[in-house]
Amino acid sequence: MTVKLKLIDRASLQRLAILAVIIISLLIFGWSLMVWMPGESYTQALPPLTAAQIALKGRLKSDVETLAVKIGRRNQSNYQNLIAAKDFLDRELTQAGYTVREQQYTIDGKTFSNLEVEILGSSRAAEILVIGGHYDSAFTSPGANDNGTGAAAVLALAREFAGTKPLRTLRFVEFTNEEPPYFWTKDMGSLIYAQAAKARGDKIVGMFSLETLGYFSNAANSQKYPPPLSLLYPNRGNFIGFVGNIDSRELLRNTMRSFRAQVKFPSEGVALPNVIPGVGWSDHWSFWQQGYQALMITDTAPFRYPDYHTDRDTADKIDFDKLFRVTNGINKVIRDFVGLAG
């Protein structure tokens, strides 16, 4: 018996070609919308720190150790420690020359506080850049990396900018209650803050959430991203990540352009839909809810750090050299954003 094979006709080939063009066009569009970032990640040896930078690194380390070792677990279940952390940050910001504004709110008879300091801009004072990080820790964790590093970086940056005269207004905020049970709820400290800012009509043109900044590894497969991100980004957790949603991609790209042009440190960035796991896992999410552009600067937390949200999140796990370099790099980006030279 002879079997006749039916060849694909011209019309079918044309339809397949059109489908292929559509798929390729969508991939290119998705790449340009979400993945493409200006500049290139730094890949060479890190330059040595100056004596002054080593001193600043030491102070950054001391602040993290105060939060994670001297104070330790700090949240609604360890309320007195949370108050101790708040008082420490308040005292340090005051000593840096600021008048600290405390935004208080009450849950079940307990008072919780966001701390804000501000440097008023000159010619573009109505435009506000917020630099924030949460100072509470999760569950029974001492929270050295999550988020002692972020809270300490906010404090370090506030000290560095004290007395400057930016064109845009600059705010540094230490948030409470980012961690469960308040995460993504009405009682999340940064949401309380962002809602109040929106109600006042504050023109926040950008927000940087400093979240879990201190763990790095050059080991193969130390970076774990879910597919398809695992196909697009390095498998070594030696870079700092910049994460935004689609609406914040302009802020994200401008930030990465500035960072990569000035900072000798590996960096990766992505703008993704809010529904992707991890994209909104910090205080920047609260600003998205109010229509502000915001991004997270992070070592990627659970996608890299094995001691995330555990009792083992201790200060000895932090690479303070790299934490300082990242913080110093953010300093340079902020200077660009608010119109300060040098």
Side-chain angles (χ1 to χ4, degrees):
M1 182 176 65
T2 302
V3 178
K4 293 183 179 181
L5 297 176
K6 185 177 180 181
L7 299 177
I8 299 176
D9 58 26
R10 183 184 297 272
S12 297
L13 285 173
Q14 288 176 338
R15 286 193 293 270
L16 287 174
I18 292 171
L19 179 61
V21 169
I22 292 172
I23 292 173
I24 292 171
S25 298
L26 288 173
L27 289 173
I28 293 172
F29 176 75
W31 175 275
S32 64
L33 183 70
M34 296 182 288
V35 178
W36 179 83
M37 294 293 148
E40 295 182 358
S41 179
Y42 185 76
T43 58
Q44 301 176 40
L46 300 179
L49 299 179
T50 66
Q53 288 174 330
I54 291 171
L56 290 171
K57 180 185 77 171
R59 191 166 191 186
L60 190 60
K61 180 180 180 181
S62 175
D63 291 338
V64 172
E65 289 177 341
T66 295
L67 290 167
V69 180
K70 184 177 180 180
I71 296 174
R73 302 168 181 170
R74 49 197 186 278
N75 47 44
Q76 88 292 346
S77 297
N78 299 272
Y79 181 69
Q80 292 307 314
N81 286 359
L82 186 68
I83 296 302
K86 184 264 295 182
D87 289 345
F88 163 71
L89 294 167
D90 191 329
R91 183 168 60 251
E92 291 297 317
L93 289 167
T94 300
Q95 289 178 0
Y98 291 100
T99 298
V100 180
R101 293 196 287 254
E102 187 170 345
Q103 182 188 36
Q104 296 183 342
Y105 63 102
T106 302
I107 307 170
D108 297 331
K110 294 179 179 178
T111 300
F112 298 90
S113 301
N114 297 317
L115 304 177
E116 176 200 77
V117 297
E118 180 179 78
I119 303 172
L120 191 64
S122 55
S123 61
R124 303 173 70 177
E127 300 175 8
I128 303 164
L129 175 65
V130 175
I131 311 298
H134 69 92
Y135 62 88
D136 59 317
S137 68
F139 310 117
T140 59
S141 173
N145 196 25
D146 182 17
N147 189 35
T149 55
V154 172
L155 176 58
L157 290 165
R159 291 189 187 115
E160 287 292 294
F161 281 90
T164 61
K165 297 180 179 180
L167 302 184
R168 284 172 159 157
T169 294
L170 187 53
R171 291 180 186 168
F172 298 94
V173 188
E174 302 280 5
F175 296 116
T176 191
N177 290 351
E178 188 268 358
E179 300 289 5
Y182 304 121
F183 181 71
W184 281 11
T185 74
K186 64 180 180 61
D187 293 320
M188 188 172 174
S190 55
L191 184 60
I192 297 285
Y193 180 91
Q195 287 173 333
K198 188 69 172 181
R200 289 191 302 266
D202 290 0
K203 186 180 178 182
I204 295 174
V205 294
M207 185 271 177
F208 297 163
S209 173
L210 309 189
E211 173 65 53
T212 314
L213 298 173
Y215 185 80
F216 300 88
S217 175
N218 284 314
N221 300 314
S222 55
Q223 185 67 47
K224 308 288 186 183
Y225 272 133
L229 296 180
S230 56
L231 302 175
L232 302 173
Y233 292 94
N235 68 1
R236 298 176 189 271
N238 62 354
F239 60 88
I240 191 67
F242 295 78
V243 182
N245 62 357
I246 301 298
D247 290 341
S248 301
R249 64 187 180 277
E250 180 183 2
L251 173 66
L252 175 61
R253 286 176 178 167
N254 288 338
T255 299
M256 292 220 66
R257 181 181 293 109
S258 176
F259 188 91
R260 287 179 166 178
Q262 302 182 83
V263 185
K264 295 180 177 179
F265 196 88
S267 59
E268 300 291 342
V270 67
L272 293 170
N274 302 5
V275 296
I276 303 296
V279 174
W281 288 358
S282 191
D283 295 300
H284 58 302
W285 171 88
S286 298
F287 290 78
W288 292 349
Q289 307 314 301
Q290 305 306 311
Y292 294 124
Q293 288 196 41
L295 58 87
M296 172 173 57
I297 305 175
T298 180
D299 65 13
T300 76
F303 299 108
R304 177 189 305 176
Y305 186 43
D307 299 314
Y308 176 75
H309 279 192
T310 73
D311 293 358
R312 301 182 302 278
D313 181 10
T314 49
D316 58 297
K317 310 296 172 52
I318 296 171
D319 187 326
F320 285 100
D321 181 273
K322 290 185 172 64
L323 173 61
F324 169 77
R325 292 174 189 273
V326 168
T327 305
N328 192 50
I330 297 169
N331 182 316
K332 295 177 184 295
V333 173
I334 295 170
R335 287 179 176 275
D336 264 0
F337 198 96
V338 300
L340 283 169

